[in-house]
Amino acid sequence: MEIAEGITITGQLIIKWAEKHVNAYLNKALNSDKDYVIAIDTDSVYVGLSDLVSTAAPSLSDDKTVDFLDKVCRKIETQVFDKSFKELGENLNVFKTRISMKREGICNRGIWAAKKRYILNVLDNEGVRYGQPKLKIMGIEAIKSSTPSACREAFKKLFQILISGTEVQTQKFIEDFQKSFNSLSAEEKAFPRGVSSLKEYSDPKTIYKKGTPINSRAALMYNSLLKQHGLEKKYEAIVEGEKIKYIHLNPRNPTRENVIGFFTQLPPEFGLHKFIDNDVQFEKSFLDPAKLILDAIGWKSVEEASLEDFFQ
């Protein structure tokens, strides 16, 4: 425990040490008193250099600005990180200083929704200059396998608009995607999930017990409907450990349940396709995750009317 704790605390010290010294360097260079570090992570420091660009290189083209920042970052590597880590090593009485930091991405825009959840528009990555900027997406639903595939592709397009477009363009994209989402098949817009502990949550009288997770509940409902419709020989039952999909239903459907699971196809014999709740499915699979990003930049997912609009 002591060794593990020592490793963790040392890592925290190192990254905070880097944050402290890069801030000190930039404040001295710009004669300011400001926190230039946007975020820190386990082994990363994200630094805002817009003040430096506007002061030292305000009229450069985008490509020349990247060249300028590359030189600045090399100077920070040697004059800040190498020097300060050597000092830290001496303070900690290490045998040899092994810690160093190198420049990763130069970006012109970034959005942080929360800790370890961000989008960066990368112009240059470790010295590789991109002809077209590339998005670096971390901890966002667009890259999660639990998000419907149609939504994952839409998220990537949405993030591109967020980085380079306007709030109005964002709202138009969301509106258009909802229309196309509603026309997708049940299989295309359902949530992919794994299921476990079906025996634990199963109940012979009520199908499932109180507190059953939604994916397990969806699987148990599917198995129950197979028996009710006599389809056990046509379709396989869901067992523990398998991957399924589930989709939200309007509660007015024949099962009176708000969710149903299935493998690759929702059996048409269930008669549930016309009861799929597109609004809830869209909200939970796309709109709610999108709002986490939109809230971070103060944008709305739909255009809101003002009092001025009312009196026009």
Side-chain angles (χ1 to χ4, degrees):
M1 283 294 284
E2 287 88 352
I3 293 172
E5 191 173 275
I7 292 169
T8 302
I9 292 173
T10 303
Q12 293 173 351
L13 171 63
I14 289 168
I15 204 65
K16 290 178 181 178
W17 186 269
E19 175 193 20
K20 172 186 173 182
H21 283 81
V22 76
N23 265 326
Y25 177 82
L26 290 171
N27 276 308
K28 183 178 180 181
L30 294 168
N31 192 27
S32 59
D33 182 17
K34 183 177 177 180
D35 186 0
Y36 290 98
V37 175
I38 298 168
I40 61 173
D41 206 341
T42 307
D43 59 355
S44 306
V45 180
Y46 300 88
V47 186
L49 297 174
S50 57
D51 286 2
L52 182 64
V53 171
S54 60
T55 301
S59 58
L60 295 180
S61 64
D62 288 348
D63 206 45
K64 292 295 183 182
T65 300
V66 174
D67 290 336
F68 168 74
L69 290 175
D70 182 51
K71 292 178 182 178
V72 170
C73 291
R74 291 185 188 186
K75 190 174 288 188
I76 289 175
E77 286 175 10
T78 57
Q79 296 186 11
V80 179
F81 294 138
D82 290 350
K83 185 178 178 181
S84 65
F85 288 146
K86 184 178 180 181
E87 179 187 344
L88 178 61
E90 292 171 353
N91 292 344
L92 296 178
N93 196 31
V94 301
F95 178 73
K96 182 179 180 181
T97 301
R98 299 182 182 275
I99 298 297
S100 64
M101 294 189 79
K102 299 294 182 183
R103 191 268 288 177
E104 187 177 341
I106 294 177
C107 316
N108 61 352
R109 286 191 179 184
I111 301 170
W112 268 262
K115 183 180 179 180
K116 295 183 184 292
R117 294 165 64 93
Y118 60 84
I119 305 165
L120 298 175
N121 198 45
V122 184
L123 306 176
D124 182 296
N125 188 60
E126 297 181 351
V128 177
R129 190 72 52 88
Y130 297 137
Q132 293 294 327
K134 291 188 178 182
L135 290 185
K136 180 180 179 181
I137 304 169
M138 294 295 291
I140 308 293
E141 276 65 18
I143 57 175
K144 292 185 178 179
S145 60
S146 57
T147 301
S149 58
C151 293
R152 289 202 297 269
E153 291 304 313
F155 271 126
K156 292 175 184 177
K157 295 177 182 177
L158 174 67
F159 296 155
Q160 194 64 63
I161 296 173
L162 291 178
I163 287 292
S164 58
T166 65
E167 184 177 12
V168 173
Q169 289 173 323
T170 300
Q171 292 167 347
K172 181 67 166 59
F173 176 81
I174 293 173
E175 180 184 355
D176 291 343
F177 177 61
Q178 183 168 14
K179 292 176 183 176
S180 63
F181 180 89
N182 291 344
S183 64
L184 295 175
S185 67
E187 294 74 19
E188 290 175 304
K189 53 192 171 190
F191 288 106
R193 288 290 192 279
V195 287
S196 59
S197 306
L198 290 183
K199 291 181 182 178
E200 176 187 346
Y201 294 113
S202 178
D203 188 291
K205 293 183 179 180
T206 59
I207 304 176
Y208 59 86
K209 298 176 182 177
K210 185 178 180 181
T212 301
I214 190 168
N215 53 330
S216 297
R217 182 156 54 91
L220 291 169
M221 284 304 305
Y222 171 85
N223 289 345
S224 176
L225 288 176
L226 286 186
K227 293 180 181 179
Q228 289 181 31
H229 292 274
L231 298 170
E232 294 164 283
K233 292 184 178 180
K234 185 174 181 180
Y235 302 102
E236 288 186 43
I238 297 172
V239 297
E240 291 185 8
E242 291 190 303
K243 300 289 186 181
I244 68 164
K245 293 184 176 183
Y246 76 83
I247 196 164
H248 289 271
L249 300 173
N250 187 309
R252 292 191 293 272
N253 71 83
T255 69
R256 294 294 185 265
E257 295 289 337
N258 67 344
V259 68
I260 185 64
F262 53 92
F263 281 117
T264 57
Q265 178 189 10
L266 176 60
E269 293 89 344
F270 290 177
L272 296 176
H273 284 79
K274 62 182 178 181
F275 294 102
I276 291 173
D277 196 327
N278 285 317
D279 290 341
V280 171
Q281 191 67 22
F282 181 75
E283 182 178 328
K284 292 185 178 297
S285 61
F286 187 81
L287 196 55
D288 284 350
K291 283 181 178 178
L292 293 175
I293 311 296
L294 294 171
D295 289 347
I297 57 177
W299 286 6
K300 301 294 183 182
S301 58
V302 294
E303 186 178 0
E304 296 183 353
S306 64
L307 283 175
E308 292 179 359
D309 296 329
F310 180 77
F311 288 106
Q312 284 181 354

